[in-house]
Amino acid sequence: MARTMEWAARAEHLGGVPRKLVIGAVGAFAKTVSCLMNRTTVHNADTLFRVVRSRTPGVPLITVSNHMSTLDDPAMWGFRGFPIFNTKLARWVLTAEDICFKNAVHSYIFRVGKCIPITRGGGIYQEHMNEALERLNDGEWVHTFPEGKVYQDDAPIRRLKWGTASLIVRAPKTPIILPIVHHGFQEVMPENYMFGRRPPVPLCNKKIDIIIGDPVQFDLPAMRQTAISESRNAKFPTSGWPSTPDGLDEAAQKCLYSAISEQIRAAMDRLRSFRKKILKS
């Protein structure tokens, strides 16, 4: 589609000026929402700072978080001390094409702002998943919402979509995986505020908690072998996926992506439980 505007996402587009302007404006908005209008508390921020600023050059980063509102990105990066105005350090984020890329103006702004359009239900082998892999191959930071949609109820983390797991497996360079859980944005931007609609502007005087975990460790070689073994008896509907470069067929991929997704989900749910313990104490 023309609205995907790959050219606008390039760092050299018009000398990088549009990217600086958009990320500057978006960063100012995020700081206003998180620091001025509301109260934001961040646990373990140093870990996020370290992997964003100081990881080994060329090593990609994937952050994953729950999805509680349409403001989560960029507002979750607006807390004090975070380098949200730095265009080189800024995340790439997978965004819903049907929401963020409705017309040419929106498409251009989101593209310049380092957003990658994803078609919901389009599967893990859709075109722009390859773009996300390219960004990882460049050692960039990609953020995903693996739940796949906004959930505003305070409930255990749901079964994750397999897109993030596929990026981990298919990335030419193994990325760092950092889980994040947040709470409070569902009150800043509730889905059903008035007449079943969101409020026209973010609400204020809310408490936002952001809990940053430690990197999730995967033994991918062992997990691949387990997936191959389990896939012999697995019964998944076939989708016509190609085999991976290391020879995993579709059934083995699905077993592997399911195992990786469950490990990430469990790590996120532990962060959610940790937040509740903090509140009680």
Side-chain angles (χ1 to χ4, degrees):
M1 294 175 61
R3 292 200 303 270
T4 57
M5 295 185 183
E6 290 89 345
W7 48 271
R10 296 171 186 155
E12 65 273 15
H13 170 59
L14 296 180
V17 173
R19 178 174 290 181
K20 290 179 181 179
L21 291 174
V22 168
I23 287 182
V26 169
F29 169 78
K31 292 286 186 185
T32 299
V33 171
S34 295
C35 295
L36 299 180
M37 296 174 61
N38 298 284
R39 307 181 309 280
T40 300
T41 301
V42 184
H43 176 82
N44 199 27
D46 287 347
T47 295
L48 180 62
F49 290 153
R50 184 178 69 252
V51 296
V52 169
R53 289 173 166 160
S54 306
R55 67 185 183 278
T56 302
V59 174
L61 167 66
I62 296 178
T63 51
V64 297
S65 75
N66 57 324
H67 202 5
M68 299 202 80
S69 82
T70 54
L71 283 185
D72 294 351
D73 186 285
M76 64 185 292
W77 315 117
F79 61 88
R80 285 182 176 83
F82 192 79
I84 196 170
F85 299 108
N86 189 317
T87 58
K88 291 184 179 179
L89 294 181
R91 88 290 170 266
W92 291 87
V93 59
L94 305 188
T95 52
E97 186 178 39
D98 60 322
I99 295 176
C100 300
F101 292 78
K102 288 183 175 180
N103 56 56
V105 174
H106 287 174
S107 298
Y108 181 76
I109 292 172
F110 280 103
R111 267 316 210 164
V112 168
K114 302 179 77 170
C115 297
I116 300 173
I118 294 296
T119 302
R120 298 192 202 205
I124 64 172
Y125 281 101
Q126 60 181 280
E127 176 185 0
H128 287 287
M129 288 294 280
N130 292 328
E131 180 181 348
L133 288 171
E134 290 173 7
R135 300 289 76 78
L136 293 173
N137 193 38
D138 293 337
E140 299 268 13
W141 167 24
V142 174
H143 182 73
T144 74
F145 296 101
E147 289 177 298
K149 63 179 293 186
V150 170
Y151 291 106
Q152 296 210 316
D153 50 321
D154 188 9
I157 303 298
R158 293 157 181 80
R159 176 186 176 276
L160 306 184
K161 305 294 185 181
W162 289 344
T164 300
S166 78
L167 291 177
I168 296 169
V169 172
R170 296 162 61 203
K173 303 174 184 176
T174 301
I176 297 169
I177 312 301
L178 189 71
I180 301 172
V181 165
H182 53 80
H183 184 274
F185 288 116
Q186 78 281 5
E187 296 180 4
V188 178
M189 184 58 69
E191 290 285 293
N192 298 304
Y193 179 67
M194 186 178 296
F195 305 114
R197 295 179 177 272
R198 304 182 190 104
V201 296
L203 304 182
C204 58
N205 295 323
K206 308 299 182 183
K207 188 178 187 306
I208 300 167
D209 296 312
I210 301 174
I211 311 296
I212 297 162
D214 294 317
V216 180
Q217 303 296 326
F218 298 101
D219 186 349
L220 287 180
M223 294 181 77
R224 282 188 175 93
Q225 291 305 313
T226 300
I228 291 171
S229 176
E230 291 179 348
S231 67
R232 297 189 182 106
N233 298 316
K235 294 183 179 180
F236 291 108
T238 58
S239 307
W241 292 0
S243 296
T244 60
D246 56 356
L248 292 182
D249 62 15
E250 181 174 338
Q253 288 178 64
K254 290 181 175 180
C255 287
L256 180 57
Y257 298 159
S258 179
I260 291 174
S261 296
E262 175 54 26
Q263 195 168 331
I264 295 173
R265 188 208 63 77
M268 293 171 66
D269 212 45
R270 285 193 294 271
L271 294 181
R272 176 181 169 276
S273 298
F274 178 72
R275 173 188 165 271
K276 289 185 174 294
K277 290 180 181 178
I278 293 176
L279 291 178
K280 290 181 179 179
S281 63

